[in-house]
Amino acid sequence: MSASRTAQHPRTAQGTRSTSESTVELDLNLDGTGQSHIDTSVPFFDHMLTAFAKHSLTDLTVRASGDTNIDAHHTVEDISIVLGQAIREALGDKSGISRYGDALVPLDEALAQAVVDISGRPYLVHSGEPAGFEHHLIGGHFTGSLVRHVFEAITFGAGLTVHVRVLAGRDPHHIAEAEFKAFARAFRQAKALDPHVVGIPSTKGAL
Ligand SMILES: [Mn+2]
């Protein structure tokens, strides 16, 4: 085990957020095996967070409830904010990380690409969802437009540069799932501890 790894604090974080619209409790371990316990009261988002945990090798527990009788929007947004902030906290000073990751993930006819830079500078570039995707209610409750909104909240909370683009796809469930899995795979690479990296992988000395 490298010095950079043993010098690293445990890369875990807990987060909570309680507003008039939702209550969120979240626990994550960036050096996990992808185990998850997800109960957000938004079934399709449970499915996406479970996929994110599995394919990023992040252990993730999320318990949330909110005003989903109005719309899933507030609850999904607040969970994503807490998840982003927890990722930032767990990354610590970012010493020893690979920093960059990229992935191209299919799900049947859908194909999504994601690139992640753990840069400390929030920036999201998101493109390629087919016309009308943003209006589709996946599973009857998860608006397609929320996919970008989740990536915005995670990107800004965690301080990541993220590019996600949909290259092909027709089924909204497949498209969304390919996007989350591509992001998960790219993030897995970027957060990985590289034994050859000594200190913080930036010529500026800080990320
Ligand atoms: Mn699925």
Side-chain angles (χ1 to χ4, degrees):
M1 195 140 300
S2 73
S4 60
R5 171 143 198 172
T6 50
Q8 192 85 34
H9 68 100
R11 296 199 300 170
T12 60
Q14 292 81 41
T16 60
R17 179 178 170 91
S18 188
T19 72
S20 61
E21 296 174 344
S22 77
T23 301
V24 180
E25 292 178 25
L26 182 148
D27 202 309
L28 67 76
N29 177 7
L30 294 180
D31 297 305
T33 58
Q35 294 187 335
S36 61
H37 302 280
I38 313 288
D39 181 7
T40 69
S41 74
V42 180
F44 188 73
F45 200 39
D46 288 356
H47 184 37
M48 294 301 97
L49 290 175
T50 302
F52 168 74
K54 175 68 75 176
H55 296 289
S56 68
L57 302 182
T58 298
D59 289 346
L60 182 64
T61 299
V62 182
R63 297 197 197 296
S65 58
D67 55 2
T68 53
N69 55 314
I70 297 174
D71 189 345
H73 190 102
H74 298 144
T75 302
V76 170
E77 177 177 71
D78 290 339
I79 292 165
S80 304
I81 289 168
V82 175
L83 177 57
Q85 291 169 342
I87 288 171
R88 181 195 284 270
E89 184 184 333
L91 283 167
D93 72 359
K94 301 167 186 143
S95 61
I97 62 168
S98 298
R99 180 175 168 180
Y100 298 101
D102 65 272
L104 197 54
V105 171
L107 202 172
D108 294 351
E109 90 296 346
L111 181 65
Q113 182 178 42
V115 182
V116 171
D117 175 10
I118 299 176
S119 60
R121 296 188 311 279
Y123 205 103
L124 176 69
V125 180
H126 181 253
S127 65
E129 291 173 344
F133 177 89
E134 68 271 35
H135 306 304
H136 186 80
L137 286 175
I138 304 171
H141 65 279
F142 191 92
T143 316
S145 61
L146 282 173
V147 175
R148 177 180 297 177
H149 200 42
V150 169
F151 289 132
E152 285 171 344
I154 294 173
T155 297
F156 278 73
L160 309 176
T161 302
V162 176
H163 288 242
V164 177
R165 64 177 93 167
V166 176
L167 300 174
R170 182 169 183 273
D171 182 310
H173 183 130
H174 288 171
I175 292 167
E177 189 166 338
E179 291 187 72
F180 277 95
K181 287 176 172 174
F183 173 67
R185 286 287 297 202
F187 180 63
R188 170 181 164 178
Q189 287 178 7
K191 72 177 169 66
L193 295 169
D194 182 334
H196 299 289
V197 173
V198 176
I200 296 165
S202 168
T203 53
K204 288 188 282 197
L207 287 171

